[in-house]
Amino acid sequence: MECSTGCIHCHHSSCVHKVPIFSSLEHKDVFEIAALIEHKSYEKGDVLFFEGDKINAVIIINTGSVKAYKITPDGREQILYVFTEGDFFGEQSLLTEQTAFFTVEALEKVNICTISKESFHNLLLSHPDISINIITELGKRINRMESNIQSMGIRNVDARIASLLLEYLEKYGDDNKVIRLPVSREGMANQLGIARETMSRKLSQLENNRIISSITNKSIKILDQDALVEMTGNY
Amino acid sequence: MECSTGCIHCHHSSCVHKVPIFSSLEHKDVFEIAALIEHKSYEKGDVLFFEGDKINAVIIINTGSVKAYKITPDGREQILYVFTEGDFFGEQSLLTEQTAFFTVEALEKVNICTISKESFHNLLLSHPDISINIITELGKRINRMESNIQSMGIRNVDARIASLLLEYLEKYGDDNKVIRLPVSREGMANQLGIARETMSRKLSQLENNRIISSITNKSIKILDQDALVEMTGNY
DNA sequence: CGGACCATTGATAATTGTCAAAATTCGTGG
DNA sequence: CCACGAATTTTGACAATTATCAATGGTCCG
């Protein structure tokens, strides 16, 4: 969204413009909110907060991406989310005194905007439509998690990998069906709860079958999307 | 919560009293909302709606329980939730024209309260604190799902079963650590994405080790909770 | 160019799924 | 309250899949 009316500080309020939860706001409200926002940035590998930390702000990703994960009993990272531009989290800290459920780590350089718990709470009371936007966004997130849980419940590992690749294609793919992978092979394996080696083997298999082409460690090209869809069993 | 002021129709507004999302309301609001509510009941095995159906109401469980599931490509039920008294769902239909993400089926006789999409939407605009309650509740649900995803990512099946039993104990257990199972063995297996037979074997093993005692198909007694906790690896 | 990190491959062991049959439980109706 | 048939669960044997360990091969970056 462009800034039509003398928005000198546009780079500072950019979070507000970008985020779906504020999409219904009028211009004056945008300024009001921008005043509440603090900005921070992190480098790749930096941890924004650890599981168990107290969170007292809602965090919105302005640019870049982060992963949110829990450590499983057997010491692996279980990735719950990859948050990118426009995503927000920490809303659970709103009313409850809960501590963070997961660790959040930057996957690349990220700029974030934070709004303190108190400010945000007041904001919601005065702008009921923001709440509705948030409910809508949380609903979407829940839907994605429901799909995730469904995928993880598929006993067939090949189908799960196909699902993951299609999900990535949608999120991170370009017009040539080249996916810039947000995480390593190990990260992908951890998202599905399988061994790193199994992921390797399965991807090699897909490459042999000309379904994908593994360009580099950080990107994959989808050659035969239909085959992947068929593998998931949903068609 | 008891009805103090001549609440003849208490049995009709009981949903409102029971549900956390309305907990912050004043008495007059309760009546206002009660007027918006419709009541329905279903018998065990009845389907409230199918995945893909259009939903135009928010549904609150008054008594009984339901399961919400998706059918996986290989034809199994993947149970996403067991909703019981006080739980609500369908809030995703609020703003978006989405169709149901899962099928909902009664596990026993259930009484539900429904509020139409429109009524609910207006309610939220006029009562910002209800929205905040909902955001809080959705946050809790998301937390549970995050834990679920984490559990499903554990490669060790024994640990996952232990997690499930502990979760059940918390939700459905009584003082004697007897759990009234909401679903069949097959249902339990489906929640974890494992074969029914594997679940059987693992439970037998737990029984041999005096960690649980399988009273009937519908209930299990936890004999050694600590052992289960240890099995999950979280201590 | 070198070193650290990440990914792949092979061989083997362990685990789980599948199919078939037997045993148990559940609910209904007499 | 008991008995019977249907449904669910358990068990066994075997096949298929995946994890693990170890070694090799690549890739990225200073």
Side-chain angles (χ1 to χ4, degrees):
Chain A
M1 190 187 288
E2 82 285 3
C3 285
S4 45
T5 55
C7 184
I8 302 168
H9 303 294
C10 212
H11 59 291
H12 265 173
S13 60
S14 45
C15 279
V16 183
H17 285 122
K18 248 174 214 178
V19 175
I21 59 176
F22 295 135
S23 63
S24 63
L25 295 182
E26 297 179 14
H27 204 70
K28 71 171 179 57
D29 293 328
V30 169
F31 277 104
E32 181 193 329
I33 292 170
L36 303 174
I37 290 182
E38 278 184 54
H39 300 265
K40 285 186 194 168
S41 69
Y42 295 86
E43 296 302 321
K44 173 176 175 174
D46 287 353
V47 169
L48 281 68
F49 56 79
F50 287 96
E51 185 176 349
D53 283 357
K54 271 193 192 149
I55 312 294
N56 40 25
V58 174
I59 295 168
I60 302 167
I61 306 279
N62 194 348
T63 63
S65 60
V66 301
K67 63 178 172 182
Y69 59 87
K70 286 166 96 78
I71 301 293
T72 59
D74 47 336
R76 277 182 24 260
E77 273 181 18
Q78 177 65 44
I79 295 181
L80 296 170
Y81 309 102
V82 174
F83 289 120
T84 59
E85 200 171 307
D87 290 334
F88 67 97
F89 52 94
E91 79 291 338
Q92 290 143 29
S93 69
L94 261 185
L95 282 195
T96 62
E97 280 299 335
Q98 276 171 0
T99 55
F101 254 61
F102 42 70
T103 300
V104 174
E105 184 182 324
L107 289 168
E108 55 191 322
K109 180 170 173 51
V110 288
N111 291 299
I112 64 168
C113 303
T114 67
I115 306 180
S116 81
K117 187 171 155 169
E118 292 74 26
S119 301
F120 203 72
H121 193 235
N122 291 332
L123 201 60
L124 295 191
L125 286 174
S126 58
H127 296 79
D129 46 336
I130 296 184
S131 292
I132 294 181
N133 285 341
I134 291 182
I135 292 173
T136 306
E137 286 300 314
L138 291 181
K140 284 187 199 163
R141 187 181 304 173
I142 288 176
N143 284 341
R144 274 196 299 272
M145 296 180 81
E146 286 163 353
S147 297
N148 261 346
I149 290 179
Q150 183 199 26
S151 310
M152 296 187 75
I154 302 175
R155 294 211 269 272
N156 183 337
V157 172
D158 298 80
R160 275 154 64 185
I161 290 177
S163 292
L164 186 69
L165 288 175
L166 290 171
E167 189 191 322
Y168 278 171
L169 179 59
E170 195 178 325
K171 271 202 201 158
Y172 311 113
D174 65 12
D175 294 340
N176 294 319
K177 300 196 178 175
V178 172
I179 303 169
R180 275 199 55 236
L181 298 173
V183 296
S184 65
R185 295 293 141 91
E186 180 157 23
M188 293 172 69
N190 283 342
Q191 261 179 286
L192 296 185
I194 61 177
R196 173 180 68 244
E197 295 94 330
T198 304
M199 177 63 76
S200 256
R201 279 182 247 273
K202 296 294 187 185
L203 290 180
S204 299
Q205 227 170 280
L206 290 176
E207 200 168 0
N208 288 339
N209 296 335
R210 319 267 169 198
I211 293 172
I212 66 170
S213 146
S214 175
I215 301 178
T216 73
N217 283 351
K218 289 284 176 191
S219 66
I220 283 180
K221 184 177 169 107
I222 305 294
L223 300 178
D224 189 348
Q225 187 172 351
D226 295 341
L228 286 179
V229 173
E230 199 169 325
M231 282 174 64
T232 66
N234 294 316
Y235 36 96
Chain B
M1 190 189 285
E2 83 285 3
C3 286
S4 44
T5 55
C7 183
I8 303 168
H9 304 295
C10 212
H11 59 291
H12 265 173
S13 60
S14 43
C15 280
V16 184
H17 285 123
K18 248 174 215 179
V19 175
I21 58 176
F22 295 133
S23 64
S24 63
L25 296 182
E26 298 180 11
H27 204 72
K28 73 172 178 55
D29 293 328
V30 169
F31 277 103
E32 182 192 328
I33 292 171
L36 303 174
I37 290 181
E38 277 185 53
H39 300 265
K40 287 185 192 168
S41 69
Y42 295 87
E43 297 301 321
K44 173 177 174 171
D46 287 352
V47 170
L48 281 67
F49 55 80
F50 286 97
E51 185 176 348
D53 283 358
K54 272 193 192 149
I55 312 294
N56 41 23
V58 173
I59 296 168
I60 303 167
I61 306 279
N62 195 348
T63 63
S65 61
V66 301
K67 62 179 172 182
Y69 60 87
K70 287 165 97 77
I71 300 294
T72 60
D74 47 333
R76 278 181 25 258
E77 273 181 18
Q78 177 65 45
I79 295 180
L80 296 170
Y81 309 101
V82 173
F83 290 119
T84 59
E85 201 170 307
D87 289 334
F88 66 97
F89 52 93
E91 78 291 340
Q92 291 143 28
S93 68
L94 260 187
L95 282 194
T96 62
E97 279 298 338
Q98 275 170 1
T99 54
F101 254 61
F102 42 68
T103 299
V104 174
E105 182 182 325
L107 289 168
E108 55 191 321
K109 181 171 173 50
V110 289
N111 292 299
I112 64 167
C113 304
T114 67
I115 306 181
S116 80
K117 185 172 159 172
E118 292 74 26
S119 300
F120 203 73
H121 194 235
N122 292 332
L123 202 60
L124 295 191
L125 286 174
S126 58
H127 295 79
D129 46 334
I130 296 183
S131 291
I132 293 181
N133 285 341
I134 290 181
I135 292 173
T136 306
E137 286 301 313
L138 291 181
K140 283 187 200 163
R141 186 182 306 173
I142 287 176
N143 284 341
R144 274 196 298 272
M145 295 180 83
E146 286 164 352
S147 298
N148 262 346
I149 289 179
Q150 184 198 25
S151 311
M152 295 188 75
I154 301 173
R155 294 212 268 271
N156 183 337
V157 171
D158 299 80
R160 276 154 63 186
I161 290 176
S163 292
L164 186 70
L165 288 174
L166 290 171
E167 189 192 320
Y168 278 172
L169 178 59
E170 196 177 322
K171 270 203 202 156
Y172 312 112
D174 66 12
D175 293 341
N176 294 320
K177 301 194 179 178
V178 172
I179 303 169
R180 274 198 54 235
L181 298 172
V183 295
S184 66
R185 294 291 141 92
E186 180 158 24
M188 293 173 70
N190 283 341
Q191 261 179 288
L192 296 184
I194 61 176
R196 172 179 70 245
E197 294 94 329
T198 304
M199 178 63 77
S200 255
R201 280 182 247 273
K202 296 293 186 185
L203 290 180
S204 298
Q205 227 169 281
L206 289 176
E207 199 166 2
N208 288 337
N209 295 335
R210 318 268 168 196
I211 293 172
I212 66 170
S213 147
S214 175
I215 302 177
T216 72
N217 283 352
K218 290 283 176 192
S219 66
I220 283 180
K221 184 177 168 108
I222 304 294
L223 300 177
D224 188 347
Q225 187 172 351
D226 295 340
L228 285 179
V229 172
E230 200 170 323
M231 283 174 63
T232 66
N234 294 316
Y235 36 97

